[in-house]
Amino acid sequence: MLATNCAVFLFQAALTPRGQETFVYVFSLVPARFFALLEAGALVEAFYPLLTNAFLHAGFLHLAFNMWSLLIFGPSVEDRLGSRVFLGFYLIAAWTASLAHAFFNANSLIPALGASGAIAGVMGCYVRLFPFARLVLLVPVLFYPVFVEAPAILFSAVWLAMQLVPGLITLLIPGEAGGIAWWAHIGGFAAGWALGPALRRRPRGYRPYFQDEGVFGFTPDGRRHWRRDLWE
């Protein structure tokens, strides 16, 4: 997924400004256009942007932050699901995130694009499978960076609240929805949370663990054990 997102971004960046504008409009998700095409019965034209928009990005920083998040949460989830299942799961999360955004912004004419909804699904799955995994967070205090450890379940609760509050506020404000696709994040996260346990493969398919994992520290889900055979 990371390579595909980067390849699409490079292709997009190589286009002329007019070509980029056309490319984004055709393959991004425009909620008002989506529902208009549904009413017209043009199902293919309506539904493919639900997936293609998840491989587009508005700029290098947009791509970088999304791929950084995917690198943090993706490998562990892929290990638990398997590569093929992970691919299908990622696309389902992207599709669900896009549907959520379209549903809550039905009249919007602003193109929505980015992998954040799909990556929110990966995050939701990660938290469901590794609720007590310890994440190191950078919290800026004035001008000083402070590093804090927090369990994944706590991090996800705070993150989800940060999506829900502005998402609910946008429902109360009339007019065009733009900027951050809050409901895409919420929809993707919900899909990942729900699908994770059902798609998890058997433990014998997991990657081999390093010698110090589960022996002198914590199991992969963040629980403390001193003997590896307690969780194998």
Side-chain angles (χ1 to χ4, degrees):
M1 288 297 104
L2 189 148
T4 302
N5 278 282
C6 291
V8 172
F9 178 77
L10 291 175
F11 174 82
Q12 179 183 340
L15 298 174
T16 63
R18 182 62 181 273
Q20 289 185 32
E21 182 179 344
T22 302
F23 184 75
V24 167
Y25 183 78
V26 170
F27 293 104
S28 64
L29 172 63
V30 181
R33 181 182 64 186
F34 168 73
F35 288 108
L37 290 171
L38 278 184
E39 288 186 14
L43 299 183
V44 175
E45 292 85 349
F47 277 98
Y48 76 75
L50 295 177
L51 289 179
T52 56
N53 84 89
F55 295 94
L56 305 181
H57 290 86
F60 176 75
L61 287 180
H62 190 200
L63 174 73
F65 280 119
N66 278 341
M67 295 304 100
W68 180 43
S69 299
L70 183 58
L71 277 173
I72 292 173
F73 299 104
S76 297
V77 173
E78 184 175 4
D79 175 60
R80 288 299 187 262
L81 304 187
S83 297
R84 293 182 181 178
V85 175
F86 178 77
L87 172 60
F89 163 79
Y90 186 92
L91 296 177
I92 291 173
W95 183 77
T96 306
S98 296
L99 277 179
H101 175 75
F103 180 80
F104 286 102
N105 301 278
N107 297 318
S108 176
L109 294 170
I110 299 177
L113 66 162
S116 55
I119 294 171
V122 176
M123 184 190 305
C125 184
Y126 179 92
V127 173
R128 188 70 185 274
L129 300 181
F130 308 97
F132 302 106
R134 300 179 312 287
L135 302 176
V136 179
L137 311 177
L138 190 156
V139 180
V141 178
L142 296 178
F143 298 102
Y144 298 95
V146 177
F147 293 92
V148 179
E149 267 195 7
I153 189 69
L154 176 61
F155 166 78
S156 69
V158 174
W159 179 88
L160 192 57
M162 293 172 63
Q163 312 306 308
L164 280 170
V165 171
L168 292 172
I169 291 175
T170 60
L171 298 182
L172 304 176
I173 301 176
E176 286 287 357
I180 299 175
W182 305 109
W183 289 102
H185 298 169
I186 297 166
F189 185 91
W193 177 274
L195 291 174
L199 298 178
R200 179 170 49 187
R201 58 180 173 171
R202 294 183 179 182
R204 64 186 178 188
Y206 299 167
R207 68 168 175 83
Y209 293 105
F210 296 108
Q211 188 174 3
D212 61 343
E213 290 183 280
V215 179
F216 301 110
F218 295 79
T219 63
D221 67 356
R223 298 178 186 273
R224 181 181 289 276
H225 283 308
W226 298 104
R227 291 175 54 201
R228 185 169 182 168
D229 58 1
L230 291 178
W231 52 272
E232 277 189 331

